[in-house]
Amino acid sequence: MILSPNRSHFGGSCATARISALASLRGQIERIETAEVVHQRDRVALGHGEADSALKGGLARAAIHEVFCEGRQGAAATGFVMGLAGRVSARRPLLWVRQDFSEIETGALSMSGLSELGLDPRRVVMVRAADVESALRTSADALACDALGAVVLELWGETRQFDLVASRKLTLAAQSSGVTGLLLRMAAQPLPSTAETRWTLRAAHSPPGPASMPAAPWSAWGAPVFDAELLRNRHGPCGRWIMEWNCDECQFSEPSTYPQPVAAASAHRPDPAVFQQRRAG
């Protein structure tokens, strides 16, 4: 009997805490689900007509976007993410968070390569994290800083630390600050997340540049071309496109077509059947 008032008070406190926690979770879920209204007002066109149409005008800022690739496609996926970051960062600083293991597997990022893509390496801040937990904490803190234009989180391989809870934290941080998060996953399989879009990336054939542009740094080996498949789009259709990065205009586009020498038409060649008859005769 003496403890009954305390028990009643304790039970009431627990009930209040549960109600408060549920209300907080409902608010977080509502902010995620209703983010479409905000994203429609703040999208940046990639430059590729069909991709921008599927994305309702372009890539949404203040959201998380995932890019997956096989391990051997890491260089292509890195170039694609650099292009996305260049489009959404709006000349503000870009923070790139990498695991130490990523650098062992794929090598260090090339600042000269970034410059050849048309992006300013002086705006890129590199952070090397010792493990996945450190990379996630750094990225969450960075996404909460509205002075940045974009945050890239690069993770290698399968990781149990990046679950739905971790994804939701990154999404909420991006929405609160307006900073865009780009998650680069190499040698990993997609898992449930709160990402706005999910892409899978492969390198595509890149023909040499036209003879009229010999001074372009990429003319000898051709402009970067990507085989990009949009696997998930929260507010529109999915699709697959060949996307070329224009290093001068710093935007994607439909792939250019350059005149290539072709073999003579079959009408100008001797008929193999006639040739065989002549040999037999």
Side-chain angles (χ1 to χ4, degrees):
M1 297 296 295
I2 296 176
L3 296 177
S4 59
N6 292 335
R7 287 178 179 176
S8 176
H9 175 73
F10 182 73
S13 298
C14 288
T16 303
R18 285 195 297 269
I19 293 173
S20 177
L22 287 173
S24 177
L25 288 173
R26 290 192 184 100
Q28 293 177 3
I29 294 172
E30 183 179 359
R31 285 196 297 273
I32 293 175
E33 292 180 344
T34 59
E36 178 182 10
V37 177
V38 177
H39 294 167
Q40 284 181 343
R41 295 197 301 265
D42 194 10
R43 292 179 180 269
V44 56
L46 299 181
H48 189 285
E50 294 183 5
D52 285 335
S53 177
L55 295 169
K56 307 299 183 183
L59 200 69
R61 288 194 173 105
I64 301 297
H65 305 276
E66 297 176 334
V67 178
F68 285 81
C69 72
E70 299 177 1
R72 59 190 177 89
Q73 298 285 350
T78 300
F80 183 75
V81 169
M82 283 182 175
L84 295 181
R87 295 298 298 163
V88 301
S89 59
R91 299 188 178 278
R92 289 187 294 171
L94 163 66
L95 186 72
W96 195 298
V97 183
R98 306 185 84 201
Q99 285 178 266
D100 285 342
F101 191 72
S102 293
E103 191 153 317
I104 295 174
E105 289 291 333
T106 64
L109 293 179
S110 171
M111 292 299 103
S112 60
L114 193 69
S115 179
E116 288 185 1
L117 288 175
L119 306 176
D120 187 356
R122 295 172 298 180
R123 295 191 292 110
V124 180
V125 179
M126 296 295 304
V127 176
R128 292 175 59 182
D131 48 43
V132 176
E133 291 86 353
S134 300
L136 288 172
R137 285 197 303 269
T138 302
S139 300
D141 292 342
L143 283 169
C145 176
D146 58 7
L148 296 174
V151 175
V152 177
L153 171 58
E154 180 181 338
L155 299 176
W156 178 276
E158 307 291 350
T159 172
R160 60 179 177 81
Q161 292 90 340
F162 186 75
D163 54 12
L164 189 58
V165 174
S167 177
R168 184 177 293 112
K169 287 181 179 178
L170 296 180
T171 296
L172 291 174
Q175 290 179 354
S176 64
S177 65
V179 179
T180 306
L182 301 170
L183 182 58
L184 176 55
R185 299 295 310 276
M186 300 184 186
Q189 294 297 321
L191 295 174
S193 72
T194 57
E196 173 81 7
T197 65
R198 177 180 296 148
W199 304 74
T200 183
L201 223 288
R202 307 170 188 86
H205 174 63
S206 180
S212 60
M213 300 180 63
W218 45 266
S219 60
W221 56 84
V225 183
F226 309 98
D227 180 354
E229 183 174 3
L230 182 58
L231 299 175
R232 178 186 182 185
N233 184 5
R234 288 178 64 89
H235 306 296
C238 298
R240 183 176 180 179
W241 309 280
I242 302 298
M243 302 175 66
E244 178 178 312
W245 176 254
N246 188 312
C247 302
D248 295 323
E249 299 180 7
C250 293
Q251 68 177 17
F252 294 94
S253 64
E254 286 76 7
S256 304
T257 56
Y258 304 125
Q260 298 291 330
V262 295
S266 58
H268 301 289
R269 301 176 183 175
D271 188 343
V274 174
F275 182 73
Q276 290 295 335
Q277 291 176 1
R278 289 177 179 174
R279 290 190 60 183

